[in-house]
Amino acid sequence: MQRKTPSCVVFSHGYEESDALRKLSTLAILVAATAFLAGARLPPQGPMPEPRPDAGQATSPTSPSSEAEPPAPEEVPAPQPKPDLKDPQAPVPHPPPAPQAAPPRPEPAEPMQGPPRPPGSPESSQPPTEEGKPPGEQTLEEQHLTIEPESDAEHAECTAALQSLGVVFKEAPRIDDGNGCGIDKPIIVSEALPGIRLKPEATIRCPAALALARWMKDSVIPAASAALPEQGRITTVNQATSYMCRLRNGAGTGKISEHARGNAIDIASFHFEKGEDVAVRSRREDPTLTGAFQRTVSAAGCLYFTTVLDPESDAAHETHFHLDVIERKGGYRYCH
């Protein structure tokens, strides 16, 4: 009996060959993959990141025309107007704002002590007095004015300044003409400066005389020497009015004149050694040196007096300068 070879040996041999082929195939695949990866390169541009959810349209590309413009500012909520409480539909704020206190009423301003009002012009609104008339419609008697007292020390200081300038004057008794007209400490000036007569003599308060002397010394005499040297020096100042008890411009009602308090003097002309007098008249368009002289001394008067009215101011002053030293709040001056 013949013996058969086991089939498992043949199967084992075939299995070993198959396993070797599988390993070679795997090795070949690995070698090919390695070669492929070695020659591979990354793309020139990687994937773009996804936009943030809250970026909105900020990442969207803009048009070429908008590139030159600055970015729009962040939108700020506009303030909302206060709701109208009269509207029943409007919301009521909570808590309601505290009521604001009413602004204090301004105190009535003191009527300006300036130039006289032309006839027919309305007076500033003022409360009626006990007579039932505003002050602008009262007579001198109805205003119940009094004479302002003057300090002895201030008067002595003022008269000493007059003496140092060479002003010729004399003291006079107190003047009281009633209704507020008068001067507590009047003086009578006969020479505005040494060698320059004041014609006629002027009864005024010392501060007005001192302003006149300083104006003459520092402005009028130098201006005359520059403009009118051929006429020589000024020898006389002709005045039209000094102290006089009346209202402004001689009116029947209105404010008291500064002449009635000794604070004012009216200058009508200047007399020179040679030539004609220089009369004060309208010279706004006067192209001569005489016109320049008058305009110069008129403008300079405001350096010494608190009120200067010249022929250009109104019809009541066409022939003279009105000069006074009324005191106003804040050092205010009126010059025209």
Side-chain angles (χ1 to χ4, degrees):
M1 184 173 181
Q2 197 176 18
R3 193 174 179 178
K4 294 182 182 180
T5 304
S7 60
C8 61
V9 176
V10 177
F11 176 79
S12 173
H13 181 73
Y15 176 79
E16 289 177 359
E17 290 179 357
S18 176
D19 184 57
L21 290 174
R22 187 167 52 254
K23 289 180 179 180
L24 288 175
S25 299
T26 302
L27 181 61
I29 291 172
L30 290 175
V31 172
T34 301
F36 175 78
L37 291 175
R41 292 183 301 173
L42 292 175
Q45 183 175 358
M48 298 296 293
E50 292 293 330
R52 291 169 52 189
D54 59 348
Q57 298 180 354
T59 57
S60 61
T62 57
S63 62
S65 61
S66 65
E67 290 178 357
E69 299 177 2
E74 214 174 323
E75 193 173 356
V76 179
Q80 299 295 326
K82 293 183 179 179
D84 188 0
L85 297 180
K86 296 181 181 180
D87 185 2
Q89 305 269 337
V92 179
H94 182 74
Q100 297 182 353
R105 294 183 179 179
E107 294 295 330
E110 182 181 358
M112 184 176 67
Q113 300 288 333
R117 295 176 178 270
S121 64
E123 292 285 341
S124 59
S125 58
Q126 297 178 4
T129 58
E130 58 185 2
E131 287 83 6
K133 299 179 183 178
E137 298 178 3
Q138 291 181 348
T139 64
L140 186 60
E141 293 76 11
E142 292 171 334
Q143 297 183 40
H144 306 300
L145 302 173
T146 59
I147 299 173
E148 297 180 3
E150 298 186 60
S151 162
D152 291 338
E154 291 178 357
H155 181 72
E157 182 181 355
C158 180
T159 55
L162 288 181
Q163 292 171 349
S164 67
L165 289 171
V167 179
V168 179
F169 68 97
K170 61 183 178 182
E171 303 274 357
R174 186 176 188 269
I175 300 173
D176 187 353
D177 290 333
N179 301 314
C181 290
I183 306 175
D184 189 27
K185 293 178 170 55
I187 62 172
I188 301 174
V189 180
S190 56
E191 290 190 11
L193 284 175
I196 302 179
R197 290 188 304 157
L198 190 58
K199 185 179 179 181
E201 295 178 337
T203 301
I204 49 179
R205 290 182 61 235
C206 183
L210 184 58
L212 176 66
R214 289 172 173 169
W215 175 59
M216 291 291 302
K217 178 177 182 294
D218 297 336
S219 296
V220 177
I221 293 175
S225 299
L228 308 168
E230 70 283 355
Q231 293 196 203
R233 68 182 186 87
I234 296 175
T235 59
T236 305
V237 176
N238 297 300
Q239 62 98 2
T241 311
S242 54
Y243 170 77
M244 179 180 288
C245 181
R246 61 174 174 83
L247 297 178
R248 293 182 180 179
N249 296 335
T253 59
K255 294 182 178 180
I256 190 170
S257 170
E258 291 307 303
H259 288 285
R261 298 184 180 277
N263 286 328
I265 188 168
D266 293 343
I267 304 300
S269 66
F270 302 93
H271 180 73
F272 290 78
E273 285 180 311
K274 310 169 188 177
E276 298 180 354
D277 290 2
V278 175
V280 177
R281 58 181 176 83
S282 179
R283 297 185 186 272
R284 178 177 293 173
E285 305 299 331
D286 187 345
T288 67
L289 285 172
T290 301
F293 164 74
Q294 178 177 304
R295 292 191 297 270
T296 299
V297 298
S298 174
C302 209
L303 300 174
Y304 312 93
F305 298 91
T306 55
T307 305
V308 177
L309 301 176
D310 64 14
E312 315 299 341
S313 62
D314 56 28
H317 300 88
E318 288 180 340
T319 59
H320 62 274
F321 294 138
H322 169 90
L323 311 170
D324 72 47
V325 292
I326 186 175
E327 294 184 6
R328 299 186 181 92
K329 289 183 177 180
Y332 171 76
R333 298 185 176 213
Y334 184 88
C335 305
H336 190 288

